[in-house]
Amino acid sequence: MSITSRVKKVLTGNHATAYAVMQARVDVIPAYPITPQTTIVEKLDEFIENGLLDASMIRVESEHSAMAAAIGASAAGARTYTATSSHGLLYMYENLWWAANARLPIVATFVTRAIGPPWNIWSDHQDIFTLRDSGWILFMAKNAQEAYDLTLQAFKIAENPNIRLPVGIGYDGFYISHTSEPVEMLAQDEVDAFLPDKRSIKPLLDPSNPYTIGNLPEASFNFLIRKNMWGSMESSIDYIKKVGYEYYLLTGRNYGDLVDKYRCEDADTIFVSIGAMANEGMVAVDRLRSKGHKVGHMALRLLRPYPEDEVIDSIGNAERIIVMSRAVSMGKGGILFTDLIDVVYRNRLNVDVYDIVVGLAGVEVVDNDFIKVYNDVLDGIFDKRETIFLMGGKYV
Amino acid sequence: MSFSVEIRWHGRGGHGIVSASNLLCEMAMRKGYYGISIPIFGAERRGAPTKVYTRISSKPIYKRSEVRNPDMVVITDASLLHIVDPLRGLKNGGTVVINSHRMGEEELRLLKGYKIVPVNAVEIAIKADLRVGGIPVVTIPLLGGILKVLNIIDLATAEAVIREKWEGELGERNVKALEMAMEVIRA
């Protein structure tokens, strides 16, 4: 049944995403299954089968082909969606960059999962961070509701003629993809009014004006392609905020504030994390606050473009920031930390920043982990120049 | 009034504990509560021990990690008491909703000190003609036991959710199993 009025249902993150994609009335879905993404495209196939979604599901032989087909469809002007995880994302990788450089407004879900070997199906964020430098706009949801909401916003952002960049929505495998919780969905006519007319997408390919794409131009041409992307990325921040506030007016759920702040006012210590574990960080904040500690939590909902001004704002007068990364740049540090430390340096912020790597390979991260790190930071046991690895409550 | 409960389900692949936990969340949501249902996935095999966690609260729920100290444990098969440790971390005086099929002296001894809610789930499922692939569906009768203990979800709401999940005759058989369980259980 199509959704004629707002409805609240208990859904997994993956099914919430599938509903949003259906309501966005996508035209083409090239897909290849991989855990924990699979139930998104399975559900979409079911919607097509039941006549709820008028889209072409292209069953391809690999993720590389899935993104190749998505590039073709999007270049022809179709609203295009796909989803993948982990090794699937890596197999897709070459074409993910192609899609960005060709400025194709594809929307994709990246259900995060660790990269092997050894084989592992559980969540960490190494896979999505391989796209950090590509030109994809990247969001990270922390629950099924955000997965739904951000998916709808993604189409609007990607298709804005001044942006025209692919948009990815990430969230943790199992902790969000397969966990069921109440999700409020918009009525179909509300979604139709919120999203742009998909026929307004100016196709890259135009049969009446044929030309080749991806030829070998002068190096300076390529330089300017990347420089133009940089400009679109930077200016997209304002539009992402605008869309977020518009969505806020519609639903009461605020996405205009690009940093999801939790009790940061007057905080002397702020945790930073993303995705499923941000929820644990918030529980830790409540527990520490109840004992009189002035702590807050910042969930970075937008990874790229990096919401620098909002991050600086959120830091306020905090004395220390504890960054909990679920992905590490080998030989450098936690990836959320390296992102943040550059903001701290460029803006000469007087704040101590601690680099903690947790939850790799899906090892569970709980509120106690945040509290332990907080106590140990106050006790001064860390050398700030070090990257600390915490696994299951123990430093390793 | 403030309400919150953490439940850990122990079942076997194919018993349907994930679906039952999701149903419970949907029912709780209809009564104005927050609910979250968190399955634990590994290499899934039919018959292998499985787990799922349910949290229900009158306040928004952030936690989505493992339930370590449940208020209630649900066990779909008494033999799991000897295979996994379903009582681990269960709060003192916590509740065990258990399929009483093939439950003997030894199992009762293991459950000593907890509030036991035995449900003759196999018998009820057979009487309600509720089977999948010939195997009695024990999770719906157990859900009856849980509803009785929680006492926050009325039968009409529970039945409406079940009928939405399974339309037609299958829905009616599920409803019948739930009703039969709630009639015989003293909670």
Side-chain angles (χ1 to χ4, degrees):
Chain A
M1 233 174 52
S2 101
I3 300 165
T4 50
S5 59
R6 281 193 196 191
V7 59
K8 208 169 173 188
K9 275 175 85 78
V10 169
L11 296 173
T12 63
N14 278 356
H15 283 183
T17 295
Y19 273 102
V21 173
M22 174 187 83
Q23 290 189 296
R25 300 185 191 273
V26 299
D27 300 305
V28 179
I29 307 165
Y32 191 82
I34 184 168
T35 299
Q37 166 282 125
T38 307
T39 56
I40 301 175
V41 291
E42 267 178 9
K43 194 74 183 169
L44 286 167
D45 221 4
E46 197 182 302
F47 290 147
I48 294 170
E49 192 65 27
N50 296 337
L52 293 171
L53 172 61
D54 181 17
S56 301
M57 170 72 72
I58 306 178
R59 293 170 188 83
V60 287
E61 79 285 11
S62 74
E63 285 88 354
H64 190 272
S65 302
M67 189 44 61
I71 287 168
S74 184
R79 187 170 277 172
T80 306
Y81 171 83
T82 191
T84 193
S85 300
S86 183
H87 290 261
L89 190 156
L90 296 189
Y91 199 11
M92 206 180 252
Y93 199 54
E94 177 190 9
N95 282 334
L96 285 162
W97 282 68
W98 212 104
N101 271 24
R103 311 296 296 265
L104 296 169
I106 297 166
V107 171
T109 305
F110 303 118
V111 183
T112 61
R113 165 182 157 181
I115 295 166
W119 212 233
N120 182 313
I121 58 169
W122 300 289
S123 178
D124 71 26
H125 302 154
Q126 296 287 165
D127 56 358
I128 194 167
F129 273 118
T130 64
L131 289 175
R132 184 182 63 173
D133 308 332
S134 64
W136 278 70
I137 290 173
L138 296 174
F139 287 102
M140 194 74 187
K142 71 173 191 302
N143 55 39
Q145 183 71 62
E146 289 189 5
Y148 173 88
D149 294 337
L150 290 169
T151 303
L152 289 178
Q153 293 170 61
F155 287 100
K156 188 159 180 149
I157 294 160
E159 291 170 13
N160 180 294
N162 298 321
I163 298 177
R164 279 197 67 120
L165 285 168
V167 179
I169 302 102
Y171 53 78
D172 294 78
F174 300 109
Y175 293 119
I176 295 173
S177 68
H178 287 64
T179 290
S180 296
E181 54 193 312
V183 176
E184 189 193 56
M185 294 188 282
L186 296 176
Q188 184 62 52
D189 57 4
E190 292 180 298
V191 175
D192 291 341
F194 175 73
L195 290 184
D197 175 4
K198 62 184 180 179
R199 297 292 159 242
S200 68
I201 305 172
K202 190 173 171 290
L204 188 63
L205 299 176
D206 178 2
S208 63
N209 178 28
Y211 61 93
T212 55
I213 301 162
N215 220 326
L216 181 71
E218 280 181 44
S220 58
F221 188 86
N222 279 29
F223 189 110
L224 290 175
I225 281 197
R226 289 298 277 178
K227 172 63 181 43
N228 286 341
M229 262 170 98
W230 172 265
S232 300
M233 239 326 158
E234 284 227 299
S235 63
S236 73
I237 286 255
D238 286 342
Y239 188 68
I240 293 168
K241 278 168 83 159
K242 185 169 170 283
V243 170
Y245 284 127
E246 193 185 326
Y247 199 83
Y248 181 26
L249 290 179
L250 185 64
T251 63
R253 295 187 291 276
N254 186 354
Y255 291 84
D257 297 346
L258 302 176
V259 172
D260 180 11
K261 280 179 284 187
Y262 188 71
R263 307 184 79 169
C264 286
E265 322 73 41
D266 83 340
D268 56 34
T269 306
I270 296 176
F271 295 111
V272 177
S273 77
I274 56 172
M277 72 172 173
N279 299 284
E280 299 292 325
M282 288 155 66
V283 174
V285 165
D286 284 344
R287 284 177 58 193
L288 287 166
R289 282 264 177 190
S290 75
K291 289 185 182 147
H293 298 276
K294 289 185 172 178
V295 295
H297 184 277
M298 253 169 31
L300 301 183
R301 207 152 32 195
L302 182 64
L303 304 177
R304 285 295 181 273
Y306 195 85
E308 184 157 329
D309 292 346
E310 284 77 7
V311 166
I312 293 168
D313 244 26
S314 310
I315 290 171
N317 295 319
E319 295 160 30
R320 59 188 81 80
I321 304 172
I322 300 172
V323 187
M324 308 281 272
S325 300
R326 204 167 199 154
V328 61
S329 173
M330 282 295 161
K332 185 70 183 90
I335 296 182
L336 285 180
F337 169 85
T338 58
D339 265 11
L340 182 74
I341 202 73
D342 138 283
V343 174
V344 168
Y345 173 73
R346 287 198 207 202
N347 296 279
R348 300 294 191 273
L349 303 181
N350 185 20
V351 61
D352 290 337
V353 189
Y354 294 88
D355 181 15
I356 319 292
V357 174
V358 287
L360 299 181
V363 167
E364 198 169 53
V365 183
V366 297
D367 49 351
N368 284 345
D369 293 325
F370 285 79
I371 291 171
K372 178 182 174 58
V373 171
Y374 172 78
N375 288 331
D376 291 343
V377 162
L378 287 200
D379 288 348
I381 74 160
F382 298 134
D383 178 343
K384 270 178 290 182
R385 290 165 301 181
E386 259 188 78
T387 298
I388 310 292
F389 288 77
L390 177 69
M391 180 181 79
K394 288 195 177 70
Y395 299 113
V396 290
Chain B
M1 221 173 61
S2 170
F3 175 90
S4 105
V5 66
E6 292 190 312
I7 304 171
R8 188 174 64 213
W9 304 63
H10 291 271
R12 289 179 178 279
H15 277 167
I17 57 172
V18 174
S19 299
S21 170
N22 290 356
L23 281 175
L24 179 58
C25 284
E26 181 82 37
M27 292 167 185
M29 186 189 81
R30 303 266 173 114
K31 299 309 289 180
Y33 294 91
Y34 296 88
I36 190 163
S37 167
I38 307 149
I40 299 302
F41 286 91
E44 257 54 60
R45 301 166 307 275
R46 221 170 167 74
T50 52
K51 268 192 292 191
V52 56
Y53 309 116
T54 318
R55 290 189 171 94
I56 295 171
S57 175
S58 48
K59 293 190 200 126
I61 301 164
Y62 296 128
K63 262 192 114 49
R64 56 185 64 226
S65 51
E66 194 179 327
V67 169
R68 287 182 164 79
N69 297 108
D71 302 289
M72 181 193 288
V73 163
V74 183
I75 303 170
T76 64
D77 177 350
S79 70
L80 288 166
L81 283 164
H82 309 293
I83 298 168
V84 291
D85 184 6
L87 305 176
R88 200 170 104 189
L90 178 60
K91 284 182 186 156
N92 280 337
T95 305
V96 181
V97 177
I98 184 166
N99 176 2
S100 61
H101 186 66
R102 291 189 180 162
M103 209 167 89
E105 298 274 319
E106 203 189 334
E107 287 76 20
L108 276 174
R109 189 180 51 78
L110 288 171
L111 295 173
K112 218 169 162 191
Y114 299 108
K115 180 182 171 185
I116 311 170
V117 182
V119 182
N120 53 342
V122 172
E123 199 183 316
I124 289 171
I126 291 171
K127 273 191 190 156
D129 196 21
L130 190 59
R131 295 164 185 259
V132 172
I135 299 165
V137 179
V138 296
T139 39
I140 297 298
L142 287 167
L143 190 53
I146 297 164
L147 294 185
K148 199 95 180 197
V149 176
L150 296 183
N151 199 26
I152 55 166
I153 297 156
D154 58 283
L155 189 60
T157 303
E159 292 186 352
V161 170
I162 287 179
R163 286 192 174 104
E164 279 170 37
K165 167 96 177 164
W166 295 288
E167 286 171 0
E169 213 249 325
L170 180 58
E172 295 315 310
R173 277 185 271 152
N174 275 285
V175 163
K176 192 176 166 198
L178 187 80
E179 282 177 358
M180 284 170 69
M182 290 186 77
E183 266 166 37
V184 298
I185 297 158
R186 283 177 297 132

